[in-house]
Amino acid sequence: MLKTVCQRKTANNIAKVRARIQQAARENARDVKDIQLLAVSKTRSVEDIKEAFAAGISDLGENYAQEAETKIKALGDLPLTWHFIGPVQSNKTEIIARHFTWL
């Protein structure tokens, strides 16, 4: 029961963000198809990310390379696009190059 409530809350929050994006697109004469929602998943669990994916999120941003690497491996069966959004440290470049699509 609790999981279902959390899933509905996640889906509801994502729907609200998408509605705000659509409103902003209309107000600025933009095509909403040209706007991409990037959800930042740092500090979120694998289960949280699965709920977001179920609600339509496929692009995720992370700024902790090692934390992200664990999540990316755990979620390898989902068609997610990972964006590294933090500062790049030379000792993390291999992880970033191996696991992220965007920098």
Side-chain angles (χ1 to χ4, degrees):
M1 176 77 170
L2 182 60
K3 187 174 181 179
T4 304
V5 171
C6 290
Q7 288 172 327
R8 281 194 305 250
K9 183 177 179 184
T10 298
N12 188 41
N13 287 342
I14 291 169
K16 286 179 184 178
V17 170
R18 289 193 187 283
R20 289 182 13 219
I21 290 169
Q22 289 176 344
Q23 180 64 31
R26 277 192 301 274
E27 290 172 1
N28 292 283
R30 297 275 311 272
D31 187 341
V32 75
K33 294 176 190 168
D34 294 334
I35 301 169
Q36 182 177 3
L37 175 57
L38 175 64
V40 177
S41 55
K42 75 176 193 177
T43 73
R44 305 308 260 169
S45 71
V46 169
E47 286 304 315
D48 290 341
I49 296 168
K50 286 179 180 179
E51 290 173 15
F53 177 76
I57 296 295
S58 61
D59 285 83
L60 296 159
E62 283 278 349
N63 68 335
Y64 298 122
Q66 289 173 306
E67 179 183 329
E69 182 179 31
T70 302
K71 292 176 189 178
I72 291 167
K73 287 178 180 179
L75 296 162
D77 60 327
L78 297 180
L80 298 170
T81 302
W82 293 92
H83 303 247
F84 189 78
I85 58 173
V88 177
Q89 298 172 336
S90 59
N91 63 334
K92 306 291 190 232
T93 56
E94 184 179 340
I95 293 171
I96 294 168
R98 192 175 337 120
H99 296 290
F100 289 86
T101 303
W102 294 96
L103 175 63

